[in-house]
Amino acid sequence: MKHIITCLPFIFILFSCSENSKKQNQNNEGKAPYSIKKHQTSSVDKIIHYSALDAMRNGVYTGDLTISEVKQNGDFGLGTYNLLDGEMVVLNGVFYRIKTNGEVVEVSESKKTPFNALTFFNPEIETKTDANTLDQLKEFILGKLPTKNNTYAIQVNAVFEYIELGGAEKIDKDNHLPVAEILKTRPIYKHKNVQGKLVGFYYPGYLSPIDLHPFHFHFLSNDKKIAGHLIDAKLSKATILLDEKESIEIVMPQTKDFRNEWKYIEDNTSKSNY
């Protein structure tokens, strides 16, 4: 059974779940609950979001899909790996993992993910800015969006005089603290004079239970040696590529942790520290 909810013109959220997949999950939880490839034949230009940030706010850190399965959802995006075993950045179809020590590696296709956002990146807008701080960059991008009610994939190519990035450290399988609590002690990487790309998304406020609002950025240096979740930056010579999306599809993990009742509620309208 598929439920499609139209939130705004040209935007819909498709929840993929079926009675058969629930039964299948009871017998073999590790298998994908539906055919991802079937959805990719659609001509709809969309972000496919696996799980929701509210799940990690409630301590859900395991998913049932592998990189081999989710890579069909796009060539551009971000996320993390099961039990927060490193940050994820996806560029030109390559999935990278940022290890706790900051090392950047290409990931095995058998590795599983509890949370990611992927799309096929085809920007319609290219613009340049003299912004020097992260706040200035965000304000500039907001001013260039044709509407703030749609979702966008965003790539920023720039020289970073300074960049501060966050990593992730693998947790115990019994750790179900909210993600904000866990990431208070996350590894931090600071670098100077780096050329690279921000890979990320803009989400309107009504999607804040799904992902960070308004922006969620990860970073990858041009030499593929530095990466992580963007915290702060000073930059120059920035070129911004914007890809406006028609929809967002949310795929719900069929795992025990995800299906359990969630009790923790965060004020999603406040500025996140993760």
Side-chain angles (χ1 to χ4, degrees):
M1 171 169 43
K2 299 177 184 176
H3 303 286
I4 302 177
I5 303 175
T6 303
C7 297
L8 290 169
F10 307 111
I11 298 180
F12 67 86
I13 300 176
L14 179 104
F15 294 93
S16 299
C17 186
S18 71
E19 293 302 322
N20 288 335
S21 68
K22 291 179 183 177
K23 293 177 181 178
Q24 180 187 24
N25 178 67
Q26 292 172 355
N27 296 325
N28 193 342
E29 188 173 335
K31 290 187 176 180
Y34 75 112
S35 172
I36 297 175
K37 184 177 291 187
K38 179 174 63 177
H39 293 291
Q40 286 307 302
T41 60
S42 169
S43 61
V44 177
D45 187 15
K46 60 190 173 184
I47 297 167
I48 298 185
H49 209 294
Y50 180 59
S51 191
L53 191 54
D54 264 8
M56 293 204 295
R57 289 171 176 139
N58 283 273
V60 179
Y61 301 112
T62 55
D64 53 352
L65 296 185
T66 65
I67 299 308
S68 177
E69 291 166 316
V70 300
K71 72 177 185 179
Q72 301 174 73
N73 293 346
D75 57 9
F76 177 99
L78 51 77
T80 187
Y81 299 96
N82 272 9
L83 301 176
L84 300 182
D85 191 19
E87 295 280 3
M88 174 195 294
V89 60
V90 183
L91 185 65
N92 298 324
V94 180
F95 282 71
Y96 298 93
R97 172 177 165 251
I98 300 87
K99 299 168 68 173
T100 302
N101 64 2
E103 182 184 359
V104 182
V105 296
E106 292 187 29
V107 72
S108 165
E109 290 194 351
S110 63
K111 200 165 185 66
K112 291 185 177 182
T113 171
F115 173 92
N116 63 73
L118 295 167
T119 192
F120 289 98
F121 191 64
N122 296 293
E124 302 94 2
I125 298 173
E126 178 175 335
T127 185
K128 298 180 184 295
T129 178
D130 294 327
N132 295 123
T133 69
L134 184 56
D135 285 342
Q136 289 174 355
L137 176 66
K138 290 178 178 179
E139 285 300 316
F140 180 84
I141 294 174
L142 287 171
K144 292 296 181 179
L145 300 181
T147 172
K148 294 183 178 67
N149 295 326
N150 280 6
T151 57
Y152 298 82
I154 306 170
Q155 180 175 305
V156 180
N157 308 323
V159 176
F160 294 84
E161 285 82 8
Y162 169 82
I163 191 164
E164 181 176 345
L165 303 168
E169 186 171 5
K170 188 175 181 179
I171 61 173
D172 185 83
K173 63 181 178 60
D174 296 321
N175 188 340
H176 296 288
L177 288 173
V179 65
E181 291 296 317
I182 291 176
L183 293 184
K184 284 180 179 179
T185 57
R186 77 189 309 171
I188 300 294
Y189 321 119
K190 298 180 181 180
H191 300 276
K192 294 182 178 180
N193 302 318
V194 179
Q195 295 186 28
K197 297 174 174 61
L198 298 181
V199 173
F201 298 93
Y202 165 85
Y203 296 100
Y206 63 84
L207 290 175
S208 58
I210 307 303
D211 212 321
L212 295 178
H213 161 74
F215 296 104
H216 189 173
F217 284 117
H218 286 191
F219 171 80
L220 181 66
S221 63
N222 288 348
D223 62 8
K224 312 297 190 298
K225 294 182 179 180
I226 297 170
H229 172 91
L230 180 66
I231 297 174
D232 196 12
K234 292 183 179 179
L235 65 152
S236 63
K237 301 178 181 179
T239 299
I240 301 161
L241 304 174
L242 299 174
D243 181 5
E244 184 173 359
K245 297 300 177 179
E246 296 175 305
S247 70
I248 177 168
E249 177 180 331
I250 302 168
V251 180
M252 296 175 287
Q254 298 302 298
T255 61
K256 180 180 177 181
D257 286 345
F258 188 89
R259 293 170 67 83
N260 285 342
E261 182 180 357
W262 298 346
K263 297 180 180 179
Y264 176 75
I265 299 176
E266 182 184 74
D267 178 7
N268 298 330
T269 62
S270 64
K271 185 177 180 180
S272 292
N273 294 317
Y274 51 87

